Amino acid sequence: MYCRWYLSIYSKEATLLILSGLALEFVYWGATTVFFEMTGKKPDFQNFIFDHWKLPTMMIGFGLFILCCQHPFHSRFVNYLAASSFGVYLIHYQPGIYRTWTDWFPLKEAYMSAHPIPDGALIILTVFSVCLVLDLIRQTLFRVTIDQHSGKWFEKIYSRIEAKVSGARRARHSRISSTVEEDQ
């Protein structure tokens, strides 16, 4: 209840965040395009603001998150995919896999192709699907192994570490006590 009231206050601010983020991206893109057309310099500078973790993109994403939190939506299929979305993000952004899919699907070629929007959508769907399958395999493996005995692996590891630490403490304590006895 509190969360819904809190978020409803900020729907205007969320809309403002989204619109200002889009405005910043369009103004930047337009200015750099004009700069490139007039000077012929810095052709890659047009895409600078659209890179990872840039402020306008974060503004749009945060505003969309706030707006979507206000409208509950329930679907088993969507929830099933949403449960794997964080796993998909982690898998696709892992450095080795990231280099692999950017080598297989060069985005600059997709941007310059005759049909950039369908090509880009196909790349996104392919990467998402492959990473989703990998995450579903991971979930299945976890369900069969780790989730069967919740906490069992942790307890085994902890007991081994605790035994080694306490053995080392006892050995150190006995060395110290024997040294003290020799001094007396």
Side-chain angles (χ1 to χ4, degrees), residues 35-54:
F35 176 78
F36 174 70
E37 291 295 326
M38 293 178 74
T39 63
K41 297 179 181 178
K42 305 231 183 234
D44 291 336
F45 203 59
Q46 294 169 322
N47 296 328
F48 173 75
I49 203 164
F50 303 107
D51 202 3
H52 304 291
W53 302 104
K54 300 299 182 190

Side-chain angles (χ1 to χ4, degrees), residues 6-77:
Y6 178 75
L7 291 174
S8 67
I9 290 176
Y10 292 106
S11 63
K12 291 178 185 174
E13 286 82 357
T15 306
L16 183 65
L17 269 176
I18 295 168
L19 293 176
S20 60
L22 287 171
L24 280 171
E25 285 186 346
F26 281 123
V27 167
Y28 178 85
W29 179 70
T32 55
T33 301
V34 168
F35 176 78
F36 174 70
E37 291 295 326
M38 293 178 74
T39 63
K41 297 179 181 178
K42 305 231 183 234
D44 291 336
F45 203 59
Q46 294 169 322
N47 296 328
F48 173 75
I49 203 164
F50 303 107
D51 202 3
H52 304 291
W53 302 104
K54 300 299 182 190
L55 182 63
T57 306
M58 296 298 287
M59 291 167 59
I60 295 167
F62 188 66
L64 286 172
F65 177 76
I66 290 174
L67 287 179
C68 289
C69 282
Q70 294 177 7
H71 303 286
F73 175 77
H74 302 286
S75 167
R76 286 184 114 160
F77 179 71

Side-chain angles (χ1 to χ4, degrees), residues 1-183:
M1 182 78 160
Y2 172 74
C3 182
R4 187 168 287 176
W5 171 80
Y6 178 75
L7 291 174
S8 67
I9 290 176
Y10 292 106
S11 63
K12 291 178 185 174
E13 286 82 357
T15 306
L16 183 65
L17 269 176
I18 295 168
L19 293 176
S20 60
L22 287 171
L24 280 171
E25 285 186 346
F26 281 123
V27 167
Y28 178 85
W29 179 70
T32 55
T33 301
V34 168
F35 176 78
F36 174 70
E37 291 295 326
M38 293 178 74
T39 63
K41 297 179 181 178
K42 305 231 183 234
D44 291 336
F45 203 59
Q46 294 169 322
N47 296 328
F48 173 75
I49 203 164
F50 303 107
D51 202 3
H52 304 291
W53 302 104
K54 300 299 182 190
L55 182 63
T57 306
M58 296 298 287
M59 291 167 59
I60 295 167
F62 188 66
L64 286 172
F65 177 76
I66 290 174
L67 287 179
C68 289
C69 282
Q70 294 177 7
H71 303 286
F73 175 77
H74 302 286
S75 167
R76 286 184 114 160
F77 179 71
V78 171
N79 287 342
Y80 188 69
L81 290 180
S84 292
S85 293
F86 186 63
V88 167
Y89 168 73
L90 291 176
I91 291 169
H92 105 280
Y93 210 60
Q94 193 271 341
I97 293 177
Y98 184 81
R99 278 191 304 270
T100 301
W101 75 260
T102 52
D103 288 344
W104 285 354
F105 305 115
L107 295 178
K108 288 188 179 186
E109 290 178 14
Y111 292 147
M112 301 303 169
S113 70
H115 308 286
I117 293 175
D119 289 350
L122 183 64
I123 290 171
I124 290 169
L125 287 175
T126 303
V127 170
F128 184 83
S129 300
V130 168
C131 292
L132 179 68
V133 167
L134 290 173
D135 189 62
L136 292 175
I137 291 170
R138 180 205 56 86
Q139 285 181 12
T140 304
L141 289 173
F142 270 48
R143 198 174 304 119
V144 171
T145 58
I146 295 174
D147 295 343
Q148 284 284 2
H149 309 285
S150 182
K152 186 176 179 180
W153 286 22
F154 175 77
E155 292 298 328
K156 282 185 176 183
I157 292 170
Y158 177 78
S159 63
R160 286 186 182 176
I161 292 173
E162 196 270 332
K164 287 183 181 183
V165 168
S166 63
R169 281 185 184 163
R170 274 188 251 122
R172 187 177 57 192
H173 180 67
S174 65
R175 280 196 314 261
I176 292 173
S177 61
S178 65
T179 307
V180 170
E181 289 174 4
E182 290 175 3
D183 289 341

